Amino acid sequence: MKQKLAFKLVFLIAIGFSSCKNKNALPDPLEAGWKGNAVCEVLEDNKELRVLKCTFEPGVGHEKHYHNPHVGYTLVGGKFRITDHTGTREVNVPTGYTFSKDSITSHEVLNIGETTSVYLIMEYK
């Protein structure tokens, strides 16, 4: 009887610890790609920050994924179709544009322009 009780207690503690972790069914921006191909590469990864460089040729997107809190910078702008919790919209993202989110977000994007667009994503850990 004590053995069963101890097993149940360990099991419940394990469930409690696992529920504290960020559970997201979506891939992160590095894991997500486009039709099986990577669109982001790691430029820096340390205990405080991960920096990604994401490149989107015309007709290339980024499958639905989540972002931890981050700051982004547009190295080369372009025209995108973005789908997120607010719906779908088309935006022209200018070169030199900076953006940030202080919470976990998710979206899907598609480069609908005629030029390659490049972004830096700096994620806090």
Side-chain angles (χ1 to χ4, degrees):
M1 184 71 169
K2 284 184 180 181
Q3 208 171 14
K4 278 187 176 182
L5 183 58
F7 175 77
K8 285 181 183 180
L9 182 59
V10 169
F11 180 73
L12 290 173
I13 290 171
I15 288 173
F17 279 125
S18 69
S19 68
C20 293
K21 295 180 182 176
N22 174 23
K23 290 185 178 182
N24 203 315
L26 296 174
D28 76 8
L30 182 61
E31 297 166 332
W34 185 251
K35 298 183 179 181
N37 295 310
V39 295
C40 297
E41 62 181 294
V42 177
L43 297 182
E44 177 71 29
D45 194 357
N46 60 48
K47 61 184 174 180
E48 296 174 358
L49 185 71
R50 180 171 79 165
V51 180
L52 303 175
K53 179 181 176 185
C54 304
T55 304
F56 305 97
E57 294 179 6
V60 172
H62 208 180
E63 293 163 352
K64 191 170 185 180
H65 60 283
Y66 78 93
H67 282 276
N68 284 321
H70 64 280
V71 173
Y73 181 77
T74 308
L75 294 169
V76 181
K79 185 173 184 178
F80 281 81
R81 181 176 301 126
I82 301 173
T83 303
D84 61 16
H85 72 282
T86 65
T88 300
R89 64 196 177 282
E90 293 182 3
V91 297
N92 288 307
V93 184
T95 296
Y97 178 71
T98 301
F99 52 93
S100 65
K101 300 287 183 178
D102 60 1
S103 62
I104 295 174
T105 59
S106 64
H107 65 207
E108 179 178 340
V109 300
L110 175 63
N111 182 347
I112 57 173
E114 297 179 7
T115 60
T116 298
S117 189
V118 185
Y119 299 83
L120 290 179
I121 306 293
M122 294 148 279
E123 302 172 319
Y124 310 111
K125 289 188 178 179

